[in-house]
Amino acid sequence: MLISDTIAAIATAVGEAGIAVIRVSGPEAIPEVDRIFKSRIKLSDAESHTVHYGHIINPQTKEEVEEVLVTVMRAPRSFTMENVVEVSVHGGVISVTRVMGILLQQNIRLAEPGEFTKRAFLNGRIDLSQAEAVIDLIRSKSDRAFSIALKQVKGDLSQQIKKQRFTLIETMAHIEVNIDYPEHDVDSLTSSFIKDKCSEVMEGITKLLKTAEEGKILREGITTAIIGRPNVGKSSLLNTLAHDNKAIVTDIPGTTRDVIEEFVTINNIPLKLLDTAGIRETLDIVEKIGVERSKNAVNEADLILLVFDASQPLHEDELVLMEQIRGRQCIVIMNKIDLPSMIDMDIVKRYFNEESIVRMSVKAQEGIDALENAISQLFFSGNLESNDLTYVSNVRHIALLNKAKQSLQDAYDAADQFIPIDMIQIDVRLAWEQLGEIIGDTAGDSLLDQIFSQFCLGK
Amino acid sequence: MSYAGGDYDVIVIGAGHAGVEAALASARMGCRTLMITINLDMVAFMPCNPSIGGPAKGHVVREIDALGGEMGRNIDRTFIQMRMLNTAKGPAVHALRAQADKFSYQHTMKETMEKEPNLTMRQGMVEELIVEDGHCVGVITKTGTEYRGKSIVLTTGTYLRGKVIMGELAYESGPNNQQPSIKLAENLREHGFDLVRFKTGTPPRVHRDTIDFSKTEIQPGDSKPKFFSYETVSSTNTNDQLPCWLTYTSVDTQQIITENLHRAPMFSGIIEGTGPRYCPSIEDKIVRFSDKPRHQIFLEPEGRNTAEYYVQGLSTSMPEDVQLAMLRSIPGLEKVEMMRNGYAIEYDAMVPTQLYPSLETKKMPGLFTAGQINGTSGYEEAAGQGVMAGINAARKVQGKEPIVLNRSQGYIGVLIDDLVTKGTNEPYRLLTSRAEYRLLLRHDNADLRLTPIGHEIGLIKDDRYERFLTKKNTVELEIERLSVEKAKPKEVNALLEQSDSTQIQDGTNMLMLLRRPEVSYSVIEQLAPSPYELTDEMKEQVEIQIKYAGYIEKQLIHVERLQKMEKKKIPDTIEYSEIHGLAIEARQKLANIRPISIGQASRISGVTPADISVLLVYLEHYNRVTAARG
């Protein structure tokens, strides 16, 4: 982390209707955005506090990517008292992701949690009395980001990155031994050896990028679990929501999870719906598996839709479920209101207040609007936080993968021109660090460990 | 009974490579300086390899010289071989390495010290620190002499509770059978310092006339050697160099070691100290890299007037009889006569995180430590710390701020920052890979990095500084000239054709031409002679600065940004326990290390970016409140 580099973050809640705003702050904010902004005016010539129409372009292909409005605010007349550029893009996940992705491939990094506020404070914009509040904000946001990051590094991506980094660190150790122990009888390094290693890792990164780009949209949105006993109408609800609304993607082939995922936007809010039982209900021992799956889905959800069959009395399992999700963001759905009510509402109301209960009949297509409104309400009231950290970190991963690939290309080209190995090493090391940033590991000490375990050195 | 031995500004304890630099720096900065050592015959002694320099280490020697230290000058006067290593690689890792006449090195250094007006040399064993109000104000020797000083510099090397080990044998001793320093180690513990036990070792020495050199490969020095000191112009040693010789261990060596492993103290458990990974003993190497068929052995002369040869690569603490058998299993050494056996030595060292970056201890103002006592290994690492400790001990006496080199200014900065910020759990050796900005920390530009500092603090005299400024200005003028002078395609292309180079277009300037890998400054000189008078050293500088400008620029930008964090100072009065919002681990580590800047704080392991943010906000608050109070 540096205190005076240029940073960016999405300033509006993800999925909010209309527009999304990306804020860029730092000494180089204006020239960095200028590089990817096509308009009649150069931002570096623009006066402070003016808005400019134009397009964000892909700097490699010069292709127009998004239509945007860009606001320039020069230091010190901005929130952070640094140079600030705000890019307004069309609302929705796709536009904002694309623009953010391009920004992060410039000399701009994703802001740390609370960093804009921190800079505003450090630059004297925020009153002294707010210091504690600023610290609390940094702490809480960082802790949350940390727990999300932890979740992410456990996956397949992290395994793949570790593999690539291992190839790099072996190569680096080899280079270092040649430099620090010039008389030692290790294999001398040829430029073709370095080129081969760079190519190998670049190929690996290209594969990773492909997966990441494809998976980009899939993994984003508010994770919403639909839970409840078998036959209360969960799957019908899922299908209704998916068909009534614009489904971005349906199903993920080859998923290993026992859950079906549907991606929908409801009033422009991206939701990732998890149907916790789905197709397997008919194949397996219904009761047991239904409850087990619900448990898992509940744990990872941002929002829970708990479905009851209002025409049946409360079941023991349902009491367990209610207990289990106490205190979580939840909407209770009383389904099958077209049938005579048998459910004991008094017990349900011990767990949930009236506002979070929606009465509907999925079969009769009644009350769907009420459910959608309830979800919007929760979201826009700020009670339901879109998990935008997960969502943005994916963009960040892609940007870092691209940067690492570029560094390796630089190393490759340098080796091709017979540039000395200690300089080639600068870019190899950079690539290793950039990959490390994705999985939160940039400790330099491991290079020394590698050198001494790989080579026999001594006096 | 004790008696008063005198009052000094600075007292340096120890006369190894750290001690001599500290004492000379302090005396030359105008402080009345006393240097006390157990045996005055051991001044600047090399207890291990008879060589100085190599990657990173050689860079440090250049830095010491650029600051006004002695090591560079001294080795230039006493080398028996000089070689530039890594010449096929980039200029940043070119590394000068000298074989020393180790006896001449000592005598020359001692003579220099004896001539130094402000410096008093005394033989004596320091056993106790004199501490008043928590400040270190002097020392007491075994003979009862009390010396008083305003700053005290401890450079005890491997002498603190030194213990020599070889096979089944272990006895208290300093290096080379010197007296160890036992009571001082106890005294430091009593004052509450944390000490750790480290281990190092040395190989046997053999008699030249019993080596069959025909079975080895010759390793000569450079015919036109460069020198360590910016002051050295030429040397009579140049035409009188001695070669080293290369041979290898054999299958028999491996077998002898394997059969006797049970007698190796490393494996029998006699050694408790932590040894360095980068300098394992031969028995260690054979165990850890059992698939490696042979290991290199360099035979290095220890001086001109001695027949002793140092057997590099065979560091060992095996019993004496096994050592002899091992030696005789090596081609060329079949009939060798061993003159001194190899041994391992254990010693006490300070946990270096107890130091400020000035090398003053946090616990006891006035007490500085430098060299192996801080957990390092190597003559150059010791000397680098010695010169800094001497400078800062003197500046404390003079009431001035300490000089702290940062990681982009020199390997000395990297070394000290690593020690005081991260500590070390094995004897610390410098490697070029420890530096983030290797390309900026070059052998060739140590003067550009550090001589202005050396001059400012009074270690570099005016005439040398004038010469330095002339060099710097001429290089700048020449680069400026090349950036405006256009190359004429007609003339140039004819020349380029000869070297299979791409032709140039109109408007190309000389600077762009010189950036091409295949074009050297000598070509440019031919095409467009300089109006300035450039020495070879200046030409080299022009070429490097232009050729690698792209990479250099990249690192400079990064350094500039980091500088802002180094410049954010943390007042020593800060109470970390009062900063809510810091994670518990960060709070403990920060309170322990007490970093002097946000930059240093950010390098402490376990302190996260979020903790640094919290600290920044707290500092801002603290500063605004302090400012408001006036």
Side-chain angles (χ1 to χ4, degrees), chain B residues 459-476:
Chain B
L459 282 179
I460 296 284
K461 297 210 180 86
D462 288 343
D463 57 333
R464 178 168 165 188
Y465 189 59
E466 283 305 318
R467 268 181 285 134
F468 161 77
L469 286 181
T470 307
K471 173 185 168 187
K472 187 169 175 264
N473 293 337
T474 312
V475 168
E476 282 166 10

Side-chain angles (χ1 to χ4, degrees), chain B residues 12-13 17 22 37 39 96 127 166 303 355 365 378 413 465 492 546 611:
Chain B
V12 178
I13 298 134
H17 303 283
T37 184
N39 182 349
L96 197 57
E127 295 195 325
M166 192 189 327
L355 302 171
Y465 189 59
V492 175
I546 290 179
D611 294 318

Side-chain angles (χ1 to χ4, degrees), chain A residues 7-122:
Chain A
I7 55 174
I10 300 170
T12 45
V14 175
E16 208 167 330
I19 58 161
V21 177
I22 298 173
R23 183 182 281 159
V24 184
S25 177
E28 301 301 316
I30 296 169
E32 287 297 334
V33 177
D34 230 351
R35 254 201 280 178
I36 54 159
F37 181 57
K38 193 172 130 194
S39 171
R40 286 201 308 217
I41 184 169
K42 271 184 76 72
L43 294 177
S44 43
D45 300 330
E47 276 182 47
S48 188
H49 294 76
T50 52
V51 182
H52 306 278
Y53 170 82
H55 288 85
I56 295 294
I57 56 163
N58 178 328
Q60 275 97 46
T61 62
K62 307 287 171 208
E63 207 180 312
E64 289 180 2
V65 176
E66 284 295 326
E67 186 183 31
V68 293
L69 284 176
V70 172
T71 313
V72 174
M73 283 162 279
R74 292 180 186 275
R77 288 173 56 215
S78 72
F79 174 59
T80 54
M81 297 184 81
E82 299 176 324
N83 286 330
V84 167
V85 176
E86 288 184 354
V87 184
S88 304
V89 303
H90 293 289
V93 181
I94 297 168
S95 306
V96 82
T97 309
R98 253 192 222 149
V99 175
M100 197 67 189
I102 290 174
L103 283 170
L104 294 184
Q105 276 167 50
Q106 312 309 309
N107 293 318
I108 297 174
R109 71 169 163 81
L110 188 65
E112 305 275 341
E115 197 167 6
F116 285 100
T117 315
K118 179 186 87 181
R119 288 188 178 197
F121 179 81
L122 292 180

